[in-house]
């Protein structure tokens, strides 16, 4: 299995359970408040490690984030490339409504303090045969992509959260692009799943594209291919969808790095993310590979 480097965000998540998302001008009380480790980067590193991947996380926190480093380390992530010299750890304010859906505000904090020297140092020991996994929550994204590509790493980029700046990134250098319908729609300008896949395959012919589409399951297109592989959903109670996408990404990439074919990677990632939505929290909801492989969930198809 190749080594996997995740240059990614680390957040403290403040999660509020609410009856409905707060509306403009409204003040509401939450039913409960919990503090969880989070950040798409941390969640994906934990998912990669729980899926059996050999993963190094590179990122930055403030002195208030030392607990986040310990959580990654305890999950089996190598944290030599995480430092605590940032101004303040990034945080997220997350509302989870009665249907388990979420909406999130991020304050980037130290995640936006990754300078070029930090990135060069993180990439120093990695090269051909290694994977780099990215999300859009840290500073200097184009620099990271260009530098990693020059070093010959395989780049997997989860285009989350989507912002207009993503269209200016050198996405053609990525080997795997992972999107949901909003991110895929944003980058392709198309709105249904097959059209998003068609357009992304045209725009980025050397990248495989993975699209997660909620109730419609997950889809995969190999580089330049027109055939879509699909995998449907499982019957689970939806408790909290936070980090479902991160769990999917971690298990998919770990499976690919382990040499599994895309259809099997889709299946494993779909089961793992279904388990994650049936639990509260972000990285705390991520299952292990053993739990995932022995889960006996009812398959509902796409
Ligand atoms: O994908 C879920 C994550 O998004 C949360 O953990 C939050 O920190 C934000 O980064």
């Amino acid at each position: 299995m190749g080594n996997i480097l995740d240059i990614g965000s680390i957040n403290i998540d403040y999660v509020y359970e609410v009856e409905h998302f707060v509306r403009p001008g409204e003040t509401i009380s939450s039913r409960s408040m919990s503090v969880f480790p989070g950040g798409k980067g941390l969640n994906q590193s934990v998912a990669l490690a729980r899926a059996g991947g050999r993963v190094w996380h590179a990122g930055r926190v403030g002195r208030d984030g030392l607990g986040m480093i310990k959580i990654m380390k305890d999950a089996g992530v190598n944290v030599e490339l995480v430092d605590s010299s940032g101004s303040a750890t990034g945080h997220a304010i997350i509302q989870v409504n009665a249907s388990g859906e979420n909406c999130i505000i991020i304050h980037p904090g130290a995640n936006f303090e990754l300078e070029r020297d930090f990135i060069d140092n993180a990439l120093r020991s990695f090269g051909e045969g290694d994977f780099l996994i990215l999300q859009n929550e840290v500073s200097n994204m184009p620099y990271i992509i260009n530098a990693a590509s020059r070093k010959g790493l395989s780049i997997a980029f989860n285009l989350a959260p989507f912002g207009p700046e993503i269209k200016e990134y050198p996405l053609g250098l990525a080997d795997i692009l992972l999107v949901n319908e909003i991110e895929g729609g944003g980058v392709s300008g198309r709105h249904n799943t097959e059209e998003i896949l068609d357009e992304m395959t045209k725009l980025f012919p050397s990248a495989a594209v993975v699209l997660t589409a909620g109730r419609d399951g997950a889809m995969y297109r190999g580089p330049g291919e027109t055939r879509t592989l699909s995998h449907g959903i499982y019957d689970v109670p939806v408790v909290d969808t936070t980090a479902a996408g991160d769990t999917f990404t971690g298990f998919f990439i770990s499976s690919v790095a382990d040499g599994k074919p895309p259809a099997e990677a889709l299946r494993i990632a779909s089961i793992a993310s279904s388990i994650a939505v049936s639990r509260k929290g972000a990285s705390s909801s991520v299952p292990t590979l053993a739990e995932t492989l022995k889960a006996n969930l009812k398959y509902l198809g796409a």
Side-chain angles (χ1 to χ4, degrees):
M1 176 183 277
N3 294 324
I4 306 168
L5 171 66
D6 179 351
I7 303 184
S9 58
I10 299 169
N11 286 339
I12 301 171
D13 287 354
Y14 297 92
V15 181
Y16 301 84
E17 275 190 76
V18 294
E19 182 57 39
H20 63 264
F21 298 144
V22 68
R23 300 179 185 113
E26 189 183 30
T27 301
I28 57 173
S29 284
S30 66
R31 290 175 176 163
S32 73
M33 198 281 275
S34 316
V35 182
F36 289 114
K40 295 184 194 303
L42 177 151
N43 297 339
Q44 293 185 19
S45 283
V46 168
L48 284 158
R50 295 214 175 125
R54 276 209 311 270
V55 54
W56 278 253
H57 191 96
R60 181 161 276 165
V61 292
R63 299 302 297 172
D64 55 337
L66 297 177
M68 303 295 113
I69 303 179
K70 182 172 182 319
I71 278 156
M72 283 194 280
K73 194 172 176 193
D74 290 348
V77 177
N78 186 307
V79 293
E80 280 161 24
L81 299 171
V82 180
D83 81 34
S84 57
S85 68
S87 51
T89 305
H91 73 259
I93 294 172
I94 304 181
Q95 297 178 56
V96 177
N97 71 9
S99 318
E101 298 164 315
N102 64 40
C103 59
I104 303 180
I105 300 173
I106 292 168
H107 176 69
N111 297 312
F112 271 19
E113 294 165 12
L114 306 191
E115 327 82 7
R116 294 180 174 200
D117 283 357
F118 177 95
I119 293 158
D120 293 340
N121 183 52
L123 287 168
R124 184 157 299 137
S125 316
F126 296 88
E128 272 176 38
D130 296 330
F131 282 80
L132 172 69
I133 183 158
L134 299 171
Q135 319 77 28
N136 190 32
E137 280 188 346
V138 297
S139 47
N140 272 313
M141 291 299 305
Y143 184 82
I144 299 173
I145 297 170
N146 282 312
S149 173
R150 277 196 301 274
K151 296 202 72 185
L153 280 81
S154 294
I155 301 172
F157 189 4
N158 173 213
L159 305 186
F162 184 80
E165 71 285 356
I166 284 188
K167 288 179 129 178
E168 311 303 320
Y169 293 172
L171 298 180
L173 299 177
D175 299 277
I176 306 178
L177 294 168
L178 300 107
V179 293
N180 64 18
E181 288 162 293
I182 293 174
E183 295 138 14
V187 84
S188 68
R190 300 289 191 272
H191 298 293
N192 78 51
T193 52
E194 278 299 308
E195 283 176 12
I196 291 171
L197 288 167
D198 285 345
E199 189 61 19
M200 287 189 67
T201 312
K202 253 188 253 157
L203 289 170
F204 314 112
S206 51
V209 179
V210 181
L211 173 63
T212 52
R215 301 230 138 256
D216 291 331
M219 287 139 235
Y220 171 91
R221 281 272 184 95
E225 287 177 4
T226 51
R227 191 177 65 110
T228 306
L229 285 178
S230 301
H231 194 86
I233 58 164
Y234 293 88
D235 188 18
V236 288
V238 180
V239 173
D240 180 356
T241 55
T242 311
D246 299 330
T247 305
F248 185 98
T249 298
F251 275 71
F252 185 87
I253 297 302
S254 174
S255 303
V256 168
D258 193 28
K260 294 199 170 61
E264 179 64 355
L266 275 187
R267 188 183 76 83
I268 292 174
S270 301
I271 298 172
S273 60
S274 299
I275 296 173
V277 302
S278 69
R279 298 175 176 170
K280 281 190 189 177
S283 64
S284 20
S285 70
V286 179
T288 61
L289 181 62
E291 278 176 274
T292 303
L293 295 179
K294 69 167 194 257
N296 192 13
L297 306 182
K298 185 172 167 204
Y299 184 59
L300 296 176

